């Protein structure tokens, strides 16, 4: 149909539709237009711009065959109490058809404290598994062949220490580090901006990250050395465009830091990965995922001069939105998670965690986590969504919204560049302020019923207190402290002291590589708190920006 004919047909349709449309106050978040046509897609040649799956700019996916060749990795995030209990949960999930592991660590572990530290009291094993030493890590993966399974670890400030423990466990199993597959989150910039589990200031933190890049490029080549996370930025209240922009700006900072440290971009860029949130607006999320690949590939090619195909391709893990789970009518969360799963699959994710129905109330039970995993399996094997590559491509609305999100994200990235980059934008509070403003606007919309959350501000019911929730017994903390006391009594104290002293010397010299020294500490059974304690003394601790 020629352009003039499209315009005339649209004018007739618009006049007829306008007579019957009814305004719905609670639906102020509809797309800008009621219908999308080729006129809204920046001309009629947009199909040639998006390319093909597996080819630059990867808008349509990073693999030529996508799920027709292999399904995404089903990787349920899990961990609680002690290594023994978490090991049992991992084995249960693998028996139920999970295809990759994802480790949740407790708060003391995430900020580099041992379970017997006074600051850890009351938090041991509560939001994840407690890991104090290599011995805990050995128990965590007991009976699980690290040569056959890929493992994601959500750990940031002490990521180097947990990775060292993983490498050491594999060594004890007889699995060489060259065979290990998995990911460490290792994304400290989003901790400063949105999540809060930081330890060290930006400069030494970036040194640790680039040191991991260097070490793994030579010795753990199949490992994803960072998972640049938009998930927590979105959980803190950002918009989809902000999630894209702030995350990719962080990615730019990591790449630049590695290049400044002397690494060649094509030596490490292929092992960078991203971590996106799957929020409630299904089509917006699909477009966000598609736009992320396009933006990153162009930045890597045009800004950093990357040449390898793997260096240009943005691979990502997705987790359904925890902030969208409701404590009210928790069964409704199964529906929400299903829609978010559909968005992730239509958007081309490489791996996926689906939240459980009861996670707004507690850590998930076995029954609820099984239902969450079954959600992925039903979408994979029964829905037909995995049968076609990028099935929404060519939709006027999808292509228009993909372009819109790309444009908005690039505008934010340009502003961050002008502020001096992601580190400077975080240090002066710009990123935090933008997220806070968006979170406040979202909350006001809910309170004013401009945005409906079913069961929260509309369609509510009287409910009895929730039952059959997973509770972490207080004995877990006592057990963990007793194990730690026993370890300290049995280990070779001289080896521990020597390894920690060696680490201190390496930390004090900015040109020294740190991973070999950290692995030596781990293998001597120095604890996480002892290792991070040495780095705290040398590097100092980060003080958050408060003047927003």
């Amino acid at each position: 149909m020629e352009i003039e004919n499209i315009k005339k047909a649209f004018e007739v349709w618009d006049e007829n539709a306008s007579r019957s449309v009814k305004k719905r106050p609670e639906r102020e978040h509809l797309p800008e237009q009621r219908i999308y046509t080729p006129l809204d897609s920046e001309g009629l040649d947009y199909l040639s711009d998006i390319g093909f799956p597996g080819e630059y700019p990867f808008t349509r996916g990073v693999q030529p065959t996508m799920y027709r060749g292999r399904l995404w990795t089903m990787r349920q995030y899990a961990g609680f109490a002690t290594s023994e209990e978490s090991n049992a949960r991992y084995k249960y999930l693998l028996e139920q058809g999970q295809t990759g592991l994802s480790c949740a660590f407790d708060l003391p572990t995430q900020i580099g404290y041992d379970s017997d530290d006074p600051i850890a009291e009351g938090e041991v094993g509560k939001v994840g598994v407690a890991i104090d030493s290599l011995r805990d890590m050995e128990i965590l993966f007991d009976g699980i062949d690290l040569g056959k399974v890929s493992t994601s670890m959500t750990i940031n400030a002490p990521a180097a220490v947990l990775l060292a423990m993983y490498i050491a466990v594999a060594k004890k199993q007889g699995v060489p580090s060259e065979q290990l597959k998995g990911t460490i989150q290792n994304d400290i910039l989003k901790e400063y901006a949105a999540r809060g589990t930081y330890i060290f200031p930006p400069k030494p933190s970036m040194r640790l990250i680039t040191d991991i890049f260097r070490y793994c490029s030579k010795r753990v080549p199949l490992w994803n050395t960072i998972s640049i996370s938009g998930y927590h930025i979105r959980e803190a209240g950002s918009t989809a465009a902000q999630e894209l922009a702030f995350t990719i700006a962080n990615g730019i900072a990591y790449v630049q830091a590695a290049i400044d440290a002397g690494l060649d971009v094509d030596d490490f860029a292929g092992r960078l990965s991203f971590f996106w949130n799957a929020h409630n607006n299904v089509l917006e999320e699909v477009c966000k995922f598609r736009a992320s690949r396009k933006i990153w590939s162009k930045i890597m090619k045009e800004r950093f001069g990357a040449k390898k195909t793997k260096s240009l391709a943005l691979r990502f893990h997705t987790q359904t939105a925890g902030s969208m789970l409701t404590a009210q009518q928790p069964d409704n969360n199964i529906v929400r998670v299903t829609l978010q799963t559909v968005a992730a699959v239509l958007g081309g994710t490489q791996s996926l965690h689906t939240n459980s129905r009861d996670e707004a109330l507690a850590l998930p039970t076995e029954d609820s986590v099984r239902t969450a995993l079954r959600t992925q399996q039903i979408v994979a094997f029964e829905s037909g969504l995995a049968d076609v590559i990028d099935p929404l491509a060519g939709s006027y609305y999808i292509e228009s919204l993909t372009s819109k999100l790309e444009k908005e994200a690039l505008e934010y990235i340009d502003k961050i560049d002008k502020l001096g980059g992601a580190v400077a934008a975080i240090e002066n509070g710009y990123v935090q302020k933008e997220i806070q403003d968006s979170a406040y606007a979202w909350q006001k919309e809910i309170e004013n019923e401009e945005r409906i959350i079913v069961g929260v501000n509309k369609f509510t019911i009287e409910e009895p207190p929730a039952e059959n929730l997973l509770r972490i017994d207080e004995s877990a903390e006592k057990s963990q402290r007793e194990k730690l006391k026993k370890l300290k009594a049995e280990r070779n104290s001289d080896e521990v002291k020597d390894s920690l002293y060696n680490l201190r010397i390496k930390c004090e010299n900015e040109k020294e590589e740190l991973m070999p020294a950290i692995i030596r500490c781990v293998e001597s059974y120095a604890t996480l708190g002892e290792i991070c304690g040495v780095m705290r003394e040398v590097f100092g601790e980060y003080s958050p920006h408060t003047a927003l």
Side-chain angles (χ1 to χ4, degrees), residues 259-455:
I259 291 172
D260 292 345
L263 278 68
D264 183 273
V265 65
D266 282 315
D267 286 344
F268 67 87
R271 303 316 305 177
L272 307 181
S273 64
F274 284 75
F275 177 19
W276 297 125
N277 192 303
H279 223 256
N280 276 2
N281 188 321
V282 174
L283 297 182
E284 181 178 56
E285 294 302 286
V286 172
C287 295
K288 180 187 75 180
F289 301 139
R290 298 173 86 249
S292 72
R293 287 190 290 265
K294 188 176 181 182
I295 294 169
W296 185 248
S297 66
K298 290 184 176 181
I299 286 171
M300 292 304 293
K301 183 176 183 178
E302 297 170 8
R303 184 185 291 218
F304 294 113
K307 295 179 176 61
K308 291 182 179 178
T309 299
K310 286 186 176 181
S311 301
L312 305 176
L314 182 149
R315 297 165 300 110
F316 66 95
H317 171 73
T318 308
Q319 180 173 338
T320 57
S323 59
M324 293 296 97
L325 300 175
T326 64
Q328 300 91 332
Q329 302 179 43
D331 284 348
N332 294 344
N333 293 327
I334 298 173
V335 180
R336 294 186 177 100
V337 169
T338 302
L339 291 171
Q340 294 159 4
T341 300
V342 166
V345 171
L346 289 175
T349 192
Q350 276 59 69
S351 66
L352 178 62
H353 163 87
T354 36
N355 289 328
S356 300
R357 59 175 290 280
D358 49 2
E359 286 191 68
L361 297 161
L363 292 175
T365 63
E366 277 195 358
D367 285 346
S368 61
V369 78
R370 184 178 62 249
T371 299
L373 177 58
R374 293 288 184 259
T375 301
Q376 291 200 51
Q377 292 164 336
I378 290 168
V379 171
F381 297 108
E382 297 185 28
S383 71
L385 294 181
D387 296 345
V388 180
I389 304 165
D390 193 23
L392 299 184
S395 156
Y396 305 137
Y397 176 56
I398 291 294
E399 301 305 344
S400 176
L401 184 53
T402 299
S403 297
K404 180 174 181 287
L405 287 170
E406 177 189 9
K407 181 181 177 182
E408 289 178 5
L410 288 173
E411 287 172 354
Y412 270 115
I413 291 169
D414 183 59
K415 183 163 187 176
I416 289 169
D417 283 341
K418 290 175 180 176
L419 289 171
V423 175
I426 290 167
E427 289 183 327
N428 70 26
Y430 169 73
V431 172
Q432 297 93 312
K433 181 65 162 55
E434 288 292 308
I435 295 171
Q436 288 172 3
D437 287 348
S438 295
Y440 179 73
W442 175 284
Q443 185 60 35
K444 291 295 290 183
E445 289 167 359
I446 293 173
E447 291 173 3
N448 295 333
E449 293 192 6
E450 295 170 357
R451 183 182 298 274
I452 299 303
I453 306 296
V454 174

Side-chain angles (χ1 to χ4, degrees), residues 29-36 397 400-401 404 408:
H29 307 281
L30 290 167
E32 294 174 4
Q33 298 169 211
R34 286 171 290 162
I35 189 171
Y36 282 74
Y397 176 56
S400 176
L401 184 53
K404 180 174 181 287
E408 289 178 5

Side-chain angles (χ1 to χ4, degrees), residues 22-90:
K22 294 180 181 180
K23 184 168 179 59
R24 295 170 58 185
E26 76 276 12
R27 293 297 300 277
E28 292 298 323
H29 307 281
L30 290 167
E32 294 174 4
Q33 298 169 211
R34 286 171 290 162
I35 189 171
Y36 282 74
T37 74
L39 301 177
D40 307 302
S41 302
E42 300 180 359
L44 296 174
D45 62 344
Y46 66 86
L47 281 174
S48 62
D49 179 56
I50 65 174
F52 294 94
E55 296 182 9
Y56 181 86
F58 303 99
T59 310
R60 304 197 63 188
V62 295
Q63 299 292 344
T65 58
M66 288 304 290
Y67 307 136
R68 290 175 67 89
R70 190 182 77 176
L71 290 172
W72 62 93
T73 301
M74 300 180 191
R75 193 187 299 279
Q76 292 299 104
Y77 185 49
F80 60 92
T82 63
S83 296
E84 290 86 351
E85 290 176 88
S86 295
N87 174 264
R89 176 62 66 89
Y90 293 163

Side-chain angles (χ1 to χ4, degrees), residues 111-113 199-200 529 531-541:
I111 54 177
Y113 290 106
I199 302 175
F200 317 113
I531 297 168
C532 289
V534 168
M535 292 193 283
R536 274 188 170 93
E537 291 173 8
V538 178
F539 297 150
E541 295 187 71

